[in-house]
Amino acid sequence: MRLGRAALALTAAAALLVTAACGKDDATGASAADGTLTVTIGAVPSIDYGVIKVGEAQGFFAKHGVAVEVATVDSGPAVVTGVVAGQYDLGWTGYAPVLLAVAAGNTDLRLVSNIGLWGAKGDNGGILVRRDSGITSFAGLAGRKVATNAPRSVLTLTLQAAIAKAGGDPARTELVTLPFAQIAKAVADKQVDAGVTVAPHQTKALQQFPQLTDLGDAPAAVLEPGSPSGAVFARKDPGAAEQTAIDRFRTAIKEALVYADSHPDEVTTAGAALAGLSPADAAALPKTDYRGDVTAAQIAPLAALMKQYGWITTDIDLASFVGA
């Protein structure tokens, strides 16, 4: 899930993939006459949830005896809270919210499947600045006011890391929280000096405000292309019926991801409405590479950045999180 798409989950309209939110007791272990078990996933709507629609259309979930219900949630941290509380069988987020929860003591969480990967330079979003701002590198953002979608988003983390890598002091940057849809205008109107953006907001901003330019792709500056970007996770010790449903889901989603990686246009078509995008906007997004498997070593660079910039204070047992 390249970040242009991943971050759309934070701004999408509250569209449901299958059903409105329901409690775990209404879903987990619910069994049809044919023995199908249902899992409920807490998630913020995103175009990448088209993977599930495509997986359903291809029969992967039915083949393994599992049905999926997605409950709309308004943020990654809220997804984690719902899983920890037992409201959802599974959560679907970027890695930062769940790793923050593990570092805070919620070690009863485990990875079920990776979803997507970070893209190459230019595929993960950008930093908007005015052409007359005098800012020509990430280092120039030190001491400036920068708009970002959330103070603890992966975009903010990679922004800080990119500033430091370029020789600037990220501690001097003043962060301003704004929705993606408002960031370009704030930069153009000189309310802020720069703003983090993602597709399709990035393309629209450069068309609407010709006085803006893109400084660069911060995630690509600090994370290797192909690094894991999105996760499905669960509690380590669910009930027996819930565990069986999760195991079936894990098998089915891995097959769905293999198919999705070879048919990204089908995912885009299926997921556009779920993310509140027009077909044209969805088609303009960077293509996503999907992978179900991930290792602790592949997640380690992100965890290291989180520790370096004070998001976490202790090392995370990534092997336990990935391998439990």
Side-chain angles (χ1 to χ4, degrees):
M1 180 166 46
R2 294 181 180 173
L3 194 59
R5 294 183 173 207
L8 281 169
L10 301 174
T11 60
L16 288 178
L17 192 141
V18 177
T19 185
C22 60
K24 184 169 73 72
D25 291 341
D26 297 323
T28 304
S31 184
D34 62 359
T36 298
L37 297 175
T38 302
V39 290
T40 299
I41 302 178
V44 184
S46 164
I47 197 169
D48 281 324
Y49 302 133
V51 169
I52 291 181
K53 283 293 192 184
V54 169
E56 289 173 340
Q58 293 299 315
F60 299 127
F61 295 103
K63 179 176 73 173
H64 294 289
V66 64
V68 181
E69 294 180 349
V70 176
T72 297
V73 186
D74 62 5
S75 70
V79 171
V80 176
T81 298
V83 173
V84 170
Q87 184 178 3
Y88 313 122
D89 305 312
L90 300 164
W92 185 323
T93 71
Y95 277 91
V98 66
L99 292 181
L100 281 169
V102 172
N106 291 298
T107 54
D108 186 29
L109 294 172
R110 60 180 171 121
L111 185 70
V112 172
S113 177
N114 187 66
I115 298 299
L117 308 175
W118 290 90
K121 183 178 180 180
D123 283 350
N124 308 296
I127 308 293
L128 298 173
V129 296
R130 294 183 302 278
R131 294 182 184 276
D132 63 358
S133 67
I135 302 172
T136 59
S137 71
F138 291 128
L141 297 173
R144 303 293 189 122
K145 186 180 293 186
V146 181
T148 186
N149 64 305
R152 282 292 185 265
S153 75
V154 70
L155 285 170
T156 301
L157 180 65
T158 54
L159 167 70
Q160 293 174 315
I163 292 171
K165 184 176 180 179
D169 180 3
R172 295 178 54 227
T173 301
E174 179 184 351
L175 298 177
V176 177
T177 303
L178 288 174
F180 284 118
Q182 298 177 18
I183 286 177
K185 188 175 187 304
V187 178
D189 290 347
K190 299 185 178 182
Q191 297 173 13
V192 294
D193 299 301
V196 178
T197 188
V198 294
H201 305 285
Q202 182 176 3
T203 300
K204 290 182 176 180
L206 295 174
Q207 292 171 346
Q208 184 177 0
F209 302 103
Q211 68 270 43
L212 300 184
T213 188
D214 179 18
L215 189 63
D217 182 340
V222 295
L223 292 172
E224 288 292 327
S227 297
S229 64
V232 174
F233 63 96
R235 292 175 297 124
K236 287 183 179 179
D237 297 308
E242 185 178 356
Q243 182 63 65
T244 299
I246 290 171
D247 289 342
R248 293 181 183 183
F249 172 86
R250 179 191 289 109
T251 302
I253 195 66
K254 289 185 183 298
E255 292 185 14
L257 289 166
V258 170
Y259 182 88
D261 194 54
S262 299
H263 301 81
D265 291 341
E266 291 184 30
V267 178
T268 296
T269 299
L274 307 174
L277 294 177
S278 69
D281 284 342
L285 293 174
K287 299 303 180 185
T288 298
D289 293 329
Y290 295 102
R291 297 289 188 279
D293 296 324
V294 68
T295 66
Q298 290 172 312
I299 304 173
L302 178 63
L305 288 180
M306 294 171 69
K307 187 175 181 182
Q308 181 178 349
Y309 292 99
W311 289 30
I312 60 178
T313 57
T314 59
D315 292 329
I316 298 172
D317 186 350
L318 295 174
S320 178
F321 173 68
V322 170

